[in-house]
């Protein structure tokens, strides 16, 4: 098996993205010899990485994950941040049930069943973090990110946001939505990279930025 | 300034540690971002990094499990909505079938065939809804579903409105849910001093254990079944464990009545 290192604990083998993991399958992905397949159609972060964009994780970061859903992407992020901690916020109980399976088998995930648009509710739980990852398809998702940044992001900390054009405004062209989002983010962050997630996810934009 | 932390109250550089961590976890609300590092304070309180994060994870998990459990009880509202939808779909199928027959008796045309396709589609939808109801009922009320069957259980739940209200119903009420009209008619007759027939069963008549018995024994069976349904619902709602003895006693009673 030929492995090509992409970033910390992330490899490419035969065009397939995998994370180094000692855990079993969480969402139906293949598992082999200590690796778990990372399916780009299921995870926007996987799609971004497969498109050649990487994030330079050290593995000991504190991460705040907004919109963790059932833990598909979270499971791989937990493989990468294997010496750090991830605060996983999700408001819907049903997917959270599945996410809790993940929490039980690993010890680097703190589950938070809270509304991400109200960060003050968990302000006495989450510490200052190095990284905020956000994937919540909501109209005001940039505001939600900013509110959480205010409460929890360290100076010089980074954000990665997945934007779904249709959930922000379905009446205008995605490009227009993306321009507005970028403008908003640029007022508080230094944008490091951004791009779309075609062909894996249609009309999606990712933005990786750093807090001034 | 006082700050609410998941492990206690922080004031003037000192921590008053909470005696109930799950409670303080849910009250860890502050209007403004904390002006100090919660993990640094916490690591001191818990005597080390490992202890701090292990406790945090444990408390967060316990709270999450409790909240999820409570939240998922809302699934009963979903079942109620599905049962209502199912009844509409069933009515539509029956009505369309009638109209189809009307058309067919006059002339068998392309429109009749289209009609038939649409009815087929609705039947598939019906099956889908039924399966979903069964799946959720088994999850939220396994004992009740085992005893009453998914269909009867869901219909009873729909009439009650929610599990919370269902568990408050006495067995005598459960026995006649769905037969309110004849029940109140009987009550009215009794008031006037006349002889009245009080219904023996409502929705639970759909249960095979009642339907398949001779008329004279259905009343006894209905009373027994309603009593067991009331118990099963309470176990599901308050205890959440499966009790196999319930179904066994029900089957025994059925055999008994059938042989007599």
């Amino acid at each position: 098996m030929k492995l090509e290192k992409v970033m910390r604990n992330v490899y490419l083998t035969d065009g397939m993205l995998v994370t180094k993991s000692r855990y079993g399958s969480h969402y139906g992905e293949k598992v082999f010899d200590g690796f778990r397949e990372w399916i780009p159609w299921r995870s926007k972060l996987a799609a971004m990485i497969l498109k050649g964009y990487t994030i330079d994780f050290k593995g000991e970061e504190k991460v705040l994950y907004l919109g963790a859903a059932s833990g598909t992407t979270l499971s791989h992020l937990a493989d990468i941040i294997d010496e750090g901690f991830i605060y996983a916020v999700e408001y819907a109980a049903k997917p959270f049930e599945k996410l809790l399976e993940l929490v039980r088998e690993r010890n680097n995930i703190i589950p938070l069943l809270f509304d991400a648009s109200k960060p003050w509710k968990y302000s006495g739980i989450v510490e200052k973090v190095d990284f905020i990852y956000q994937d919540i398809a909501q109209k005001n998702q940039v505001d939600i990110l900013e509110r959480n940044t205010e409460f929890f992001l360290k100076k010089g900390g980074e954000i990665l946001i997945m934007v779904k054009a249709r959930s922000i405004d379905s009446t205008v062209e995605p490009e227009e939505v993306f321009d507005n989002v970028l403008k908003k983010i640029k007022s508080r962050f230094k944008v490091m990279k951004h791009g779309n997630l075609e062909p894996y996810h249609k009309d999606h934009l990712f933005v990786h930025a750093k807090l001034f | 300034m006082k700050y609410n932390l998941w492990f206690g109250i922080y004031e003037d550089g000192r921590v008053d540690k909470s005696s109930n961590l799950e409670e303080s976890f849910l009250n860890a609300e502050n209007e403004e971002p904390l002006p100090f590092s919660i993990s640094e304070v916490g690591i001191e309180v818990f005597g080390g990094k490992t202890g701090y994060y292990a406790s945090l994870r444990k408390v967060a998990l316990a709270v999450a499990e409790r909240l999820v459990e409570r939240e998922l009880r809302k699934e009963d509202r979903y079942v109620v909505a599905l049962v209502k939808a199912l009844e509409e779909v069933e009515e539509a199928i029956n009505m369309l079938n009638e109209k189809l027959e009307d058309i067919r008796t006059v002339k068998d045309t392309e429109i009749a065939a289209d009609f038939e396709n649409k009815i087929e589609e609705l039947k598939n939808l019906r099956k889908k809804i039924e399966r979903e109801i069964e799946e959720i009922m088994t999850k939220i009320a396994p004992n009740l579903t085992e005893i009453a069957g998914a269909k009867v259980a869901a219909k009873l739940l729909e009439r009650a409105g929610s599990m919370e209200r269902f568990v408050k119903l006495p067995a005598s009420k459960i026995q006649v849910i769905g037969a309110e009209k004849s029940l109140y008619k009987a009550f009215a007759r009794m008031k006037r001093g006349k002889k009245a027939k009080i219904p023996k069963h409502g929705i639970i008549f759909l249960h095979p254990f009642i339907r398949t018995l001779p008329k004279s024994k259905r009343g006894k069976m209905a009373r027994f079944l309603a009593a067991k349904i009331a118990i099963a619902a309470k176990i599901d709602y308050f205890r959440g464990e499966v009790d196999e003895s319930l179904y066994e006693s029900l089957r025994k009673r059925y055999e008994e009545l059938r042989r007599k």
Side-chain angles (χ1 to χ4, degrees), chain B residues 18-245:
Chain B
S18 158
S19 56
N20 183 345
L21 289 176
E22 289 188 26
E23 197 186 309
S24 48
F25 184 92
L26 280 171
N27 290 322
E29 196 175 324
N30 302 281
E31 273 171 45
E32 299 286 325
L34 305 179
F36 55 90
S37 162
I38 181 172
S39 52
E40 268 170 36
V41 174
I43 286 166
E44 211 164 288
V45 169
F46 285 86
K49 198 180 155 203
T50 320
Y52 176 72
Y53 286 106
S55 305
L56 173 55
R57 176 183 164 275
K58 203 177 124 201
V59 174
L61 183 57
V63 169
E65 276 170 343
R66 194 153 51 86
L67 291 183
V68 163
E69 215 259 329
R70 196 197 299 164
E71 192 69 17
L72 287 183
R73 283 189 181 173
K74 279 190 192 156
E75 291 268 290
D76 57 3
R77 300 218 310 255
Y78 181 40
V79 171
V80 168
L82 282 178
V83 170
K84 288 194 167 120
L86 183 64
E87 279 168 6
E88 291 293 333
V89 172
E90 267 165 350
E91 211 182 3
I93 290 172
N94 289 337
M95 197 200 59
L96 290 176
N97 258 326
E98 256 178 59
K99 302 301 162 206
L100 174 64
E101 286 308 309
D102 289 351
I103 297 173
R104 278 254 163 87
T105 48
V106 186
K107 200 175 174 187
D108 204 352
T109 57
E110 204 180 308
I111 285 188
D114 287 348
F115 233 82
E116 204 163 20
N117 286 337
K118 278 285 169 258
I119 293 172
E120 254 340 281
E121 265 178 51
L122 280 176
K123 282 182 178 165
N124 285 336
L125 176 62
R126 177 174 65 187
K127 197 170 260 165
K128 227 172 161 178
I129 299 175
E130 280 171 343
R131 253 189 249 131
E132 178 86 335
I133 288 176
E134 191 165 341
E135 193 180 302
I136 296 168
M137 284 308 295
T138 315
K139 208 172 62 194
I140 63 173
N143 291 298
L144 175 62
T145 308
E146 163 107 356
I147 294 277
K151 200 170 182 177
V152 172
K155 277 182 186 249
L156 289 172
L157 176 58
E158 191 260 323
R159 289 306 179 96
S162 69
M163 274 306 274
E164 198 185 342
R165 273 151 73 183
F166 190 31
V167 296
K168 286 180 188 147
L169 297 180
S172 55
K173 172 78 192 167
I174 292 172
Q175 190 181 339
V176 292
I177 287 181
E180 285 82 358
K181 207 173 155 191
S182 54
L183 181 69
Y184 291 124
K185 211 159 108 191
F187 282 167
R189 279 181 70 87
M190 283 160 75
K191 234 185 194 166
R192 280 182 275 131
K194 288 183 180 165
K195 262 181 90 178
K197 267 190 186 166
I198 296 174
K200 293 190 276 292
H201 36 59
I203 285 168
I204 59 170
F205 177 68
L206 296 171
H207 196 283
F209 281 4
I210 294 182
R211 223 174 29 195
T212 54
L213 280 176
K215 237 181 171 174
S216 60
K217 295 185 180 152
R218 285 179 190 166
K220 281 195 178 76
M221 192 64 213
R223 185 151 30 94
F224 194 83
L225 176 62
K228 293 299 166 190
I229 285 178
I231 295 171
K234 287 176 177 72
I235 296 177
D236 285 329
Y237 190 72
F238 295 110
R239 189 138 50 92
E241 290 163 16
V242 175
D243 187 341
E244 264 135 18
S245 67

Side-chain angles (χ1 to χ4, degrees), chain A residues 62 85 87 93-94 96-97 100 103-104 106-107 109-114 120-128 150-151, chain B residues 4-6 25-26 28-34 38-39 49 52-53 56-57 60-61 64-65 67-68 71-72 75 139:
Chain A
K62 306 285 165 24
F85 283 94
Y87 294 89
K94 197 69 212 162
F96 210 72
E97 215 182 12
L100 289 180
V103 177
R104 284 184 207 107
R106 296 160 188 255
N107 51 27
I109 304 170
I110 316 285
L112 300 166
L113 187 66
F114 285 95
W120 53 91
K121 293 251 187 200
Y122 46 92
S123 58
I125 301 171
V126 178
E127 64 190 292
K128 291 272 182 296
E150 221 158 276
F151 269 92
Chain B
N4 300 312
L5 310 181
W6 69 268
F25 184 92
L26 280 171
E29 196 175 324
N30 302 281
E31 273 171 45
E32 299 286 325
L34 305 179
I38 181 172
S39 52
K49 198 180 155 203
Y52 176 72
Y53 286 106
L56 173 55
R57 176 183 164 275
L61 183 57
E65 276 170 343
L67 291 183
V68 163
E71 192 69 17
L72 287 183
E75 291 268 290
K139 208 172 62 194

Side-chain angles (χ1 to χ4, degrees), chain A residues 9-167:
Chain A
N9 288 347
V10 182
Y11 299 85
L12 258 176
T13 173
D14 273 337
M16 183 201 285
L17 198 67
V18 298
T19 52
K20 195 163 167 242
S21 177
R22 54 198 176 85
Y23 299 98
S25 180
H26 180 60
Y27 58 99
E29 77 282 19
K30 279 186 216 138
V31 177
F32 55 94
D33 314 331
F35 292 94
R36 286 168 54 233
E37 176 192 14
W38 196 356
I39 307 173
W41 313 94
R42 302 285 300 276
S43 165
K44 281 155 216 150
L45 184 55
M48 185 196 95
I49 294 169
L50 261 184
K51 294 198 72 174
Y53 303 98
T54 56
I55 307 274
D56 187 23
F57 284 120
K58 305 271 180 291
E60 55 199 27
E61 285 88 350
K62 306 285 165 24
V63 177
L64 175 59
Y65 191 132
L66 305 172
S70 61
T72 304
T73 300
L74 175 65
S75 70
H76 292 285
L77 199 60
D79 285 341
I80 298 168
I81 314 290
D82 54 346
E83 285 163 20
F85 283 94
I86 305 173
Y87 294 89
V89 181
E90 172 58 49
Y91 197 36
K94 197 69 212 162
F96 210 72
E97 215 182 12
K98 176 97 182 150
L99 185 145
L100 289 180
E101 288 171 18
L102 208 64
V103 177
R104 284 184 207 107
E105 68 172 21
R106 296 160 188 255
N107 51 27
N108 62 342
I109 304 170
I110 316 285
L112 300 166
L113 187 66
F114 285 95
D115 182 351
S117 66
K118 295 172 181 151
W120 53 91
K121 293 251 187 200
Y122 46 92
S123 58
I125 301 171
V126 178
E127 64 190 292
K128 291 272 182 296
V129 299
D130 307 287
F131 202 96
I132 297 181
Y133 181 83
Q134 191 208 48
D135 182 3
I136 38 177
Q138 268 182 44
K139 203 173 160 64
N140 58 343
Q141 72 174 108
V142 181
D143 296 332
I144 295 173
L145 176 73
E146 282 180 351
R147 263 177 250 162
N148 278 277
T149 297
E150 221 158 276
F151 269 92
F152 306 115
L153 192 61
K154 277 183 193 162
K155 234 185 178 151
E158 296 175 17
I159 56 141
L160 179 56
I161 174 172
M162 300 294 174
V163 184
K164 187 176 171 190
R166 255 188 304 127
S167 51

